[in-house]
Amino acid sequence: MPKIKIEGGHKLTGEIEISGSKNSAVALIPAAILCDEVVKISNIPNISDIDSLEEILTYLNAQIDRQDNILTIDSSKIINKEIPEEMSQKLRASYYFMSSLLGKYKHVEMYFPGGCSIGERPIDQTLKGYRALGAVVTEEGNRYIIDAEELKGTKIYLDMPSVGATINIMIVAVKAKGKTIIENVAKEPEIVNVATFLNNMGAKIQGAGTNVITITGVDYLHKSFHEVIPDRIEAGTYVIIASLLGENLKIKNLIPSHIEALISKLIEAGVQMNVEEDSITINSGNKYKAVNIKTLPYPGFPTDLQQPIIPFLTQCHGTSIVEETIYENRFQNIYDTNRMGANIMVKDNKIAKIKGVTPLRGKNVTATDLRGGASMLICGLVADGITTIDNIKYILRGYDDICHKLSKVGAKIEII
Ligand code: EPU
């Protein structure tokens, strides 16, 4: 099994370019099949989650072509058939196909989606949305049969601002008759990206990026060309790395306002950075102070950067408190982080108390999930000696060319 091997302690200089957003691309691709013509999506990241979606597209008989970072999808000959369980379970985003197929054909059969095991991750809000729009959902264990004689616009209030439920309901409502109003929706930039994409194809969606989204259904979606936004979590991960090891390290092609919560926390800890329109340049310091973090839906501090910021907090003077409010099981990286020399106590899987500064030492560690893996990788870059990371398939699901991007700026990191 491949592993990532890191010799820690090297300063990083130069430029790192951010790729297209995973969580945006993985929604845009399934949404594309709502269209009956050819769709082109640019700035597609080169990550294994995209390969998994391409596999599903091909299974559904879509014609696809990926050249450089542009994915062309022709859904004119698509067949509405049940996606095999092992394909659905490879990633969370497989359930966006459930929505496009339901919107397009008023019938879909689908297995529960996969995704990192960072908590329970139910899909009740998505199903509530389908039902409100007029579908009958039959649950057979982990399999869903969803039928609608007619999809009809309505008002839906989400119990929590779920990213997945917002995107799923938006996709179906585009093909429903009349007006749908979704309240208490998620406001993440990925949602705005998906809404813009659908609007470019002829959908009528208003309010994406606010608490309420209004969708007026349309019959036909036409061809379109669309660009994936920069990955704010990848950007945040490299900004954290630059705060620890950067020597004039520039992180390029990002949208700083998308990571405002992270930037504020790093500045509060003492990081000095030069924030420009689409880049951030950082010279790391050596006297950071502890800060407290609470994860929240956007624009709060993203849960997806909670694990990557832990290694940074081990290098801050004093005690930092991190509260995870989105997922029940997002501290799996702490066990190995402590083995590397950190002093972190976790209470009820909700709150971590990080006492710094603690030097870190290289060890053999495991990526328990995508962002947990990124966290271990950052520990390895900072630590004295050699770190090897197992289970790197998680990291490669979400970080485009990470070893190459880091080696180019001076890290000693490779896949072995
Ligand atoms: N929730 C429910 N019921 C639902 C939907 C969500 O209880 O029907 C709960 C979840 O259990 C969770 C919270 O609401 O506690 C938020 O879940 P959300 O639906 O917002 O998350 P998601 O759509 O499953 C996306 C990203 C995650 C990211 C979250 C939060 C994708 C493919 N995944 O997940 O990304 O953590 O939003 O921002 O877009 C990652 O990239 O590492 C990752 C896990």
Side-chain angles (χ1 to χ4, degrees):
M1 285 303 229
K3 297 178 190 224
I4 290 180
K5 180 180 170 198
I6 306 165
E7 182 188 290
H10 296 280
K11 290 284 183 188
L12 309 178
T13 306
E15 295 185 343
I16 294 178
E17 188 144 352
I18 298 308
S19 301
S21 159
K22 166 179 91 78
N23 289 343
S24 187
V26 298
L28 294 170
I29 293 170
I33 69 164
L34 275 184
C35 174
D36 293 309
E37 300 177 23
V38 175
V39 169
K40 280 185 194 288
I41 308 173
S42 66
N43 203 26
I44 294 280
N46 194 8
I47 52 176
S48 63
D49 269 9
I50 300 294
D51 302 337
S52 305
L53 291 177
E54 283 188 356
E55 201 186 343
I56 296 178
L57 281 172
T58 305
Y59 178 79
L60 294 175
N61 207 37
Q63 311 299 310
I64 57 169
D65 176 46
R66 183 153 34 139
Q67 304 265 350
D68 298 323
N69 292 331
I70 299 183
L71 178 65
T72 306
I73 305 170
D74 178 351
S75 309
S76 56
K77 296 197 179 67
I78 213 152
I79 300 169
N80 182 19
K81 52 182 177 170
E82 183 175 275
I83 298 166
E85 186 171 10
E86 65 274 16
M87 286 191 195
S88 299
Q89 294 221 319
K90 274 196 186 159
L91 76 171
R92 185 75 180 166
S94 60
Y95 73 162
Y96 294 137
F97 279 110
M98 180 160 71
S99 297
S100 353
L101 292 171
L102 176 63
K104 198 163 183 171
Y105 300 106
K106 316 285 177 267
H107 173 87
V108 62
E109 295 182 24
M110 183 88 195
Y111 284 93
F112 192 82
C116 287
S117 66
I118 49 183
E120 215 177 301
R121 311 188 78 182
I123 63 166
D124 54 297
Q125 297 303 301
T126 292
L127 301 182
K128 172 171 117 174
Y130 292 167
R131 288 183 171 118
L133 287 164
V136 175
V137 180
T138 311
E139 302 183 38
E140 285 181 350
N142 66 342
R143 188 167 165 265
Y144 301 87
I145 302 158
I146 306 165
D147 252 314
E149 256 176 45
E150 185 184 46
L151 293 163
K152 236 175 130 183
T154 184
K155 200 173 205 182
I156 300 159
Y157 182 90
L158 297 184
D159 295 346
M160 76 284 296
S162 154
V163 171
T166 303
I167 294 178
N168 276 321
I169 299 171
M170 202 163 70
I171 291 175
V172 179
V174 161
K175 289 292 219 149
K177 289 230 166 357
K179 191 183 273 189
T180 301
I181 300 171
I182 326 171
E183 294 177 331
N184 195 31
V185 292
K187 297 188 285 228
E188 271 71 358
E190 293 75 26
I191 286 160
V192 180
N193 201 213
V194 175
T196 311
F197 173 57
L198 291 166
N199 282 344
N200 286 347
M201 296 195 289
K204 292 182 178 158
I205 303 172
Q206 286 179 315
T210 73
N211 282 335
V212 181
I213 296 182
T214 306
I215 303 132
T216 307
V218 295
D219 286 333
Y220 193 78
L221 294 179
H222 54 74
K223 68 179 175 198
S224 148
F225 183 85
H226 192 69
E227 186 170 345
V228 181
I229 52 170
D231 193 310
R232 63 193 167 94
I233 306 302
E234 187 198 16
T237 303
Y238 287 118
V239 166
I240 292 166
I241 292 173
S243 302
L244 288 163
L245 295 161
E247 263 181 5
N248 215 15
L249 182 61
K250 184 174 193 171
I251 318 300
K252 282 192 348 185
N253 185 34
L254 53 79
I255 300 176
S257 62
H258 288 176
I259 49 168
E260 198 51 57
L262 171 71
I263 292 175
S264 316
K265 278 296 159 191
L266 292 173
I267 290 176
E268 189 184 325
V271 177
Q272 296 197 348
M273 54 178 89
N274 182 21
V275 181
E276 289 176 288
E277 202 182 331
D278 65 351
S279 69
I280 299 183
T281 307
I282 301 179
N283 273 306
S284 58
N286 51 13
K287 272 231 159 99
Y288 294 144
K289 60 173 195 290
V291 288
N292 297 335
I293 286 168
K294 183 173 178 173
T295 62
L296 287 169
Y298 188 84
F301 193 94
T303 171
D304 295 344
L305 287 174
Q306 179 269 103
Q307 292 164 300
I309 205 169
I310 297 282
F312 174 82
L313 298 176
T314 69
Q315 304 307 302
C316 291
H317 291 263
T319 301
S320 301
I321 310 238
V322 171
E323 192 182 344
E324 171 60 55
T325 74
I326 310 290
Y327 291 114
E328 303 88 1
N329 198 15
R330 225 173 192 184
F331 285 121
Q332 297 170 89
N333 50 308
I334 300 301
Y335 173 75
D336 273 340
T337 310
N338 278 339
R339 281 182 56 242
M340 292 179 76
N343 181 350
I344 307 174
M345 293 235 314
V346 177
K347 199 169 164 242
D348 300 333
N349 251 346
K350 276 200 177 109
I351 294 182
K353 238 185 202 182
I354 302 114
K355 284 194 182 155
V357 172
T358 48
L360 300 177
R361 296 176 301 276
K363 283 266 187 268
N364 297 332
V365 297
T366 299
T368 52
D369 54 85
L370 165 58
R371 310 299 169 190
S375 184
M376 297 323 304
L377 190 148
I378 301 173
C379 286
L381 291 171
V382 174
D384 272 345
I386 305 286
T387 296
T388 51
I389 309 177
D390 272 340
N391 246 352
I392 63 168
K393 64 173 193 288
Y394 286 118
I395 301 176
L396 303 180
R397 280 183 54 181
Y399 287 92
D400 184 350
D401 213 11
I402 188 162
C403 291
H404 182 231
K405 285 188 188 188
L406 285 166
S407 333
K408 254 179 48 192
V409 295
K412 299 277 177 277
I413 179 168
E414 60 180 333
I415 295 183
I416 54 166

